[in-house]
Amino acid sequence: MTALSSDESMPAGYGPAMGERWQVGGGPEGGADRQADRQAEWEDVLAATHVAFDVRLPESDARGFAGTVQRHRLGALHLVDCVCTPFAGQRSTSVMGGTGEDSIGLQMVIRGAERVVRSRTQQHVLEAGAVGMWDGSRAVGVEVVEPFTKRTLIFPKEMVHAVSPRFAEVESLPWLAERPGTRLLVRYVNALAAELPGLDERTATAAADVVLELLRAVVEPELPQARTARREALRARARRYVRANLTDQALGPESIARALSVSLRTLHAVFEDTDESVAALVRRARLARCREDLAEPTAGSITEIAFRWGFSDATHFSHAFKREYGMAPRDVRRAASGGMRTTARIGK
C-alpha cells in the first residue's frame, strides 16, 4: 500500500495535498504472494475508510487489481472518493464490530457498475448516476463488475438520527436517484468537494449541516411514521429553529411553538423525556454561541456579544454563563486576548 503522489483518475475537487490517500496495486508484477498482499491491503483500506469487508479479487486478473481512496473531513462527516478495478466483497458478522457500524453512507456512482446484494430478494446493479444509502451495521455483499468510481459522504449514525429520527426505524435504506431533490443534493456535494481546499473548519461544519438538511428533505417524506419518531422529529425541528433564530430576543417556547405550528403544550410535552426544557435549550444554544465569540478577541465587547445572541441583560448573561461553564465571560475573553498578544509577540 502506497501513498498517492498524483492521481488524475480521482473525481474533481481533490488536489495532491488534500486529505488522506491510499493506493493499492497498479501493475501486474508479483506472484501469488503479492496477489494475497493486494487483497489484504484493499481490505485494510476499505475498513479504514468505509466499513470492513472480506475481499475476493478476480482470479483472472488478481495481480492487476488497483484501487485508490481519498478521504477528507467535513465537520463531523467524511467525504470519500474511491476508484478501483473489479473485486467482490462480503460484509458479514465475521468482519463486523468496527467503528464503521456507527456510520451511514450516502453513495453516488460516478462511473462503472457495482452489484449490491442485501438479501436473496434484494439485489441491485448501481451504474453511473445511481444514488443510494448504506448502513454500516447491516450485512451486504458487493461486486464491482467494471472499473468503478464513486463518491461517498459518511455520516455518524447518531447525527443522521438526530436530524431525521425515523431513519432509526427503517429496515432498508432507500435508493434515491429518482427522488425529488436528489439532483440538487448531488450537485451540492460535488460543488462542496471542489471548494474543500478553501474552507476553514467553521465553514466546513456549516456546509455539513446543509448536507444533512438536504438529505432529510430528500429521504424523510418516504420514511414510515411512528409516535416516538414523530416526537423526535419535532424536537429536531425545534432545535434547528432555535439555532437559526438565536439573535431574536423574543425567541422562546411561545414563538417556537407558533413557528412550528404546534400548541405550546405539545412542544413542552415532546421535551419531557429529555434532560432539558425548551427554555434551557434556547439558553444553552445562546451561551454556546457567546462562548465562541468570546474566544475571538475581535468579536466585540462582552455586552455586545451577549446582546448579539439574544440576552437582554448583561448581568443575567454573566450569571447564566458562569453556571453553565464554571467561569465568567471575562475569563474566556482574557484567555483569548492573552493568546492573541502572545502570537503577536512571536510574530515580532
Side-chain angles (χ1 to χ4, degrees):
M1 193 180 341
T2 59
L4 217 59
S5 57
S6 64
D7 185 4
E8 295 180 355
S9 66
M10 296 302 285
Y14 285 104
M18 288 193 60
E20 303 167 277
R21 292 178 177 231
W22 294 259
Q23 180 177 7
V24 173
E29 73 282 351
D33 289 344
R34 180 60 186 138
Q35 184 175 324
D37 288 344
R38 286 188 179 177
Q39 182 168 298
E41 288 174 0
W42 191 236
E43 287 179 345
D44 289 344
V45 171
L46 293 178
T49 60
H50 295 77
V51 292
F53 282 92
D54 283 323
V55 166
R56 177 171 49 84
L57 302 184
E59 294 181 4
S60 60
D61 191 29
R63 288 181 297 170
F65 174 80
T68 60
V69 176
Q70 178 151 335
R71 179 174 67 184
H72 197 283
R73 189 168 65 86
L74 181 66
L77 316 184
H78 283 102
L79 183 60
V80 183
D81 279 352
C82 175
V83 179
C84 66
T85 55
F87 78 97
Q90 186 67 38
R91 178 160 175 77
S92 62
T93 54
S94 64
V95 295
M96 290 184 177
T99 56
E101 289 196 25
D102 298 326
S103 300
I104 287 178
L106 171 68
Q107 176 176 306
M108 295 156 279
V109 179
I110 298 173
R111 62 178 68 89
E114 177 187 47
R115 180 179 291 108
V116 177
V117 181
R118 290 179 173 172
S119 69
R120 291 181 180 178
T121 59
Q122 278 193 308
Q123 299 188 25
H124 303 269
V125 176
L126 306 182
E127 298 178 320
V131 182
M133 301 188 71
W134 50 257
D135 184 332
S137 65
R138 295 173 186 170
V140 67
V142 299
E143 182 183 5
V144 172
V145 296
E146 60 183 67
F148 189 66
T149 303
K150 67 178 179 179
R151 171 167 282 158
T152 307
L153 264 176
I154 300 179
F155 306 81
K157 188 179 294 186
E158 62 180 13
M159 178 179 288
V160 176
H161 290 173
V163 172
S164 182
R166 281 183 282 164
F167 264 111
E169 302 182 9
V170 176
E171 289 298 321
S172 179
L173 293 178
W175 305 105
L176 306 177
E178 304 304 320
R179 299 284 179 85
T182 295
R183 291 176 62 185
L184 174 61
L185 174 61
V186 171
R187 288 178 178 176
Y188 181 79
V189 171
N190 289 336
L192 190 55
E195 296 296 328
L196 274 174
L199 298 185
D200 58 27
E201 185 170 353
R202 179 177 290 190
T203 306
T205 299
D209 289 341
V210 174
V211 172
L212 279 165
E213 284 299 310
L214 288 173
L215 180 65
R216 182 192 62 79
V218 170
V219 178
E220 194 168 69
E222 302 297 326
L223 298 180
Q225 287 276 10
R227 183 175 182 275
T228 299
R230 287 196 298 269
R231 289 169 64 87
E232 292 178 355
L234 181 55
R235 284 198 294 268
R237 289 174 59 206
R239 292 187 178 106
R240 289 196 298 273
Y241 183 82
V242 167
R243 288 198 301 269
N245 292 275
L246 289 175
T247 58
D248 180 3
Q249 290 194 357
L251 180 67
E254 293 83 1
S255 63
I256 296 169
R258 188 164 53 250
L260 300 182
S261 300
V262 298
S263 70
L264 184 59
R265 180 177 179 179
T266 297
L267 180 64
H268 283 306
V270 299
F271 280 87
E272 285 177 351
D273 55 352
T274 70
D275 61 354
E276 65 181 354
S277 65
V278 181
L281 168 67
V282 173
R283 183 178 64 254
R284 288 176 179 172
R286 281 177 164 156
L287 289 171
R289 296 307 298 267
C290 288
R291 187 174 186 178
E292 287 182 6
D293 281 3
L294 287 167
E296 295 288 342
T298 60
S301 69
I302 293 175
T303 299
E304 289 171 340
I305 291 171
F307 285 7
R308 179 184 306 149
W309 294 112
F311 289 95
S312 58
D313 182 279
T315 301
H316 169 69
F317 162 69
S318 294
H319 290 325
F321 191 94
K322 191 166 186 178
R323 282 195 304 270
E324 184 72 16
Y325 297 114
M327 64 180 73
R330 64 177 178 274
D331 296 329
V332 178
R333 171 48 56 85
R334 187 181 298 120
S337 299
M340 187 175 183
R341 286 193 295 272
T342 300
T343 302
R345 287 196 298 272
I346 292 173
K348 292 180 180 179

